[in-house]
Amino acid sequence: MTHTVTSAPDQARRPEVDGDALPAPGPRADGVARREAATAQPPPVLPMNWDDLPDGIVIVDREGRIEVFNAAAARITGVSAATTPGQHLTEVLPLLDERGNDWWECSRVTRSLPRVTGQPERRLTLARQGDEHDLNVTVRYVRVDGQLAHVSLSLRDTASRERMERNRADLVSTVAHELRSPLTSVKGFTATLLAKWDRFTEEQKKLMLNTVNTDADRVTRLLAEVLDVSRIDSGRIQMRKQIVDLGQTLRRVVDGKVAAGEATHDRFVVRTEGELPEMWLDSDKIEQVLHNLVDNALRHGAGTVTIVMRGTPSGAEVTVADEGDGVPEASASRVFTKFWRGATRGNGTGLGLYIARALIEAHGGSITVGRAPGGGAEFRFVVPAGAPVFA
């Protein structure tokens, strides 16, 4: 038996036995596969459809002539996109800075600097004859070989940003107002007890300490609501589903109200109609929904609070009804918005129903309000039975 060795410029040396080549080792095969993958043509890039983007996009050449004006930009500015190609930006969108100067002219220097890649978002005024409209504008400079090729403008309407800022200011104002009363009470009673402890009877001390405890609970609930609203508005609601006994959860809520002295057992009527399926829900969040609805009925309703649970083909339905004045039909669409507290107002931040709707919708359910048989408000929510969530 003889051995010969052959070589090739593109392969490692390998022995042959009687003229038959041995199989190539694994690493070579891997290398060939990598080279073939590297030389393979990438998939074609689909053409960009600017009208699919949610933000207004305007792209101009280095001279300011419009090349792209998408549908969102037309909607935000009220300019017909069909008339814009080839026109100068200042003719279509006369944008002014906070000092009233022409933005395109003022940005000439920054456009000529090779290291400047754009401008951060800023508010500019679209000033047309007889009409002024503020826009949030972000700018990017596209350069080729160091030379300016295109200028891209992203336009956003300021209305949504202003609405968010107003909501944030309203939340801060509401929290500050609601915190003032319980904190004043806690501070006052605590200072009085410390200064004049020996002058009070045991009953007086107990009354003041119970008041401090109640107001501390109120502050805790308020801070919990603020955190819930923050998670809801930022889309950070996390669901931890497990098998939940709705009947047991409801009894726990009712017993808690009675133990806290907010109502007596004879004010509640709780019943189950039909058989409830196995419910996979977030136990804490469903209990919070029930707490908010029952609390709303006790605070703003009157008479008996009737809670009914029914099984549905796909899940469960729960109604919470009272015998008060109910919710006016004209206000039904605003009941689940932030800070709505109705005509009676009373205590509370007006966040409970907003949180309840968000938590029900996070379960894939829905919640509505209507007129109860006894004349009061009836809140009805439906949740699907759900299923376990596997990581």
Side-chain angles (χ1 to χ4, degrees):
M1 180 179 295
T2 60
H3 296 275
T4 60
V5 178
T6 61
S7 64
D10 63 337
Q11 66 184 29
R13 294 181 178 272
R14 55 194 177 94
E16 290 183 351
V17 181
D18 294 335
D20 294 329
L22 292 173
R28 178 188 177 279
D30 291 343
V32 172
R34 283 195 296 270
R35 286 196 296 273
E36 291 176 351
T39 57
Q41 293 295 324
V45 178
L46 297 177
M48 170 65 73
N49 187 352
W50 300 104
D51 290 341
D52 290 339
L53 300 179
D55 292 335
I57 300 296
V58 179
I59 300 178
V60 301
D61 63 13
R62 70 182 68 185
E63 302 299 330
R65 290 184 295 270
I66 295 177
E67 299 176 337
V68 174
F69 199 95
N70 74 345
R75 173 177 51 79
I76 294 171
T77 62
V79 176
S80 174
T83 63
T84 59
Q87 293 195 59
H88 197 275
L89 178 68
T90 56
E91 297 175 357
V92 178
L93 299 180
L95 298 172
L96 305 181
D97 61 17
E98 59 274 7
R99 297 183 179 179
N101 299 320
D102 183 290
W103 170 80
W104 178 258
E105 185 63 28
C106 291
S107 64
R108 181 184 300 275
V109 174
T110 57
R111 296 198 305 272
S112 65
L113 299 175
R115 293 184 177 274
V116 179
T117 60
Q119 297 180 14
E121 184 179 83
R122 61 184 297 191
R123 178 170 294 197
L124 299 177
T125 301
L126 175 58
R128 290 177 295 205
Q129 188 173 2
D131 179 34
E132 289 190 355
H133 183 62
D134 287 341
L135 300 173
N136 291 321
V137 182
T138 306
V139 181
R140 288 290 178 269
Y141 301 137
V142 180
R143 304 183 190 276
V144 177
D145 296 330
Q147 300 297 317
L148 182 66
H150 304 283
V151 179
S152 174
L153 292 82
S154 175
L155 312 178
R156 296 183 179 91
D157 200 330
T158 59
S160 60
R161 181 72 57 82
E162 290 172 351
R163 184 164 54 251
M164 291 175 59
E165 291 173 354
R166 283 196 302 270
N167 286 340
R168 190 176 294 112
D170 289 343
L171 182 61
V172 172
S173 176
T174 300
V175 170
H177 175 75
E178 293 295 330
L179 282 174
R180 184 183 299 120
S181 176
L183 289 180
T184 300
S185 172
V186 169
K187 175 62 178 175
F189 280 121
T190 303
T192 301
L193 285 170
L194 289 174
K196 304 177 181 179
W197 179 267
D198 295 332
R199 299 185 187 183
F200 296 109
T201 65
E202 292 299 320
E203 287 299 322
Q204 290 173 327
K205 294 175 183 177
K206 184 176 180 181
L207 175 62
M208 285 189 281
L209 288 174
N210 280 333
T211 304
V212 169
N213 183 61
T214 300
D215 286 333
D217 288 341
R218 182 178 170 189
V219 172
T220 301
R221 287 196 303 268
L222 175 61
L223 295 178
E225 287 182 344
V226 172
L227 290 174
D228 287 336
V229 169
S230 174
R231 294 188 186 98
I232 290 167
D233 290 345
S234 61
R236 293 186 289 112
I237 301 179
Q238 295 183 350
M239 306 297 292
R240 296 178 175 86
K241 292 186 176 182
Q242 57 183 308
I243 297 178
V244 174
D245 186 334
L246 275 179
Q248 182 178 356
T249 303
L250 180 55
R251 285 191 296 272
R252 190 161 55 244
V253 171
V254 171
D255 290 342
K257 297 297 180 185
V258 174
E262 299 179 29
T264 56
H265 269 297
D266 58 5
R267 190 173 175 187
F268 293 99
V269 173
V270 180
R271 65 176 185 267
T272 302
E273 298 179 357
E275 185 177 353
L276 296 177
E278 185 179 81
M279 302 296 296
W280 283 84
L281 307 168
D282 187 306
S283 178
D284 292 337
K285 292 180 175 57
I286 287 297
E287 184 169 343
Q288 185 176 358
V289 170
L290 291 169
H291 167 82
N292 289 358
L293 295 181
V294 172
D295 189 61
N296 182 78
L298 293 175
R299 287 175 181 270
H300 306 290
T304 302
V305 177
T306 303
I307 309 169
V308 181
M309 295 176 291
R310 302 181 183 89
T312 67
S314 60
E317 174 187 273
V318 179
T319 60
V320 180
D322 61 70
E323 297 175 344
D325 295 330
V327 177
E329 187 175 349
S331 302
S333 60
R334 295 185 288 114
V335 166
F336 298 103
T337 58
K338 277 187 283 192
F339 310 119
W340 187 90
R341 287 184 284 184
T344 58
R345 303 186 71 82
N347 294 330
T349 59
L351 297 173
L353 295 178
Y354 172 78
I355 294 171
R357 182 184 67 173
L359 297 182
I360 290 296
E361 290 179 349
H363 281 87
S366 61
I367 184 170
T368 57
V369 62
R371 177 70 65 175
E378 180 181 78
F379 288 87
R380 180 190 307 270
F381 70 84
V382 179
V383 286
V389 177
F390 299 100

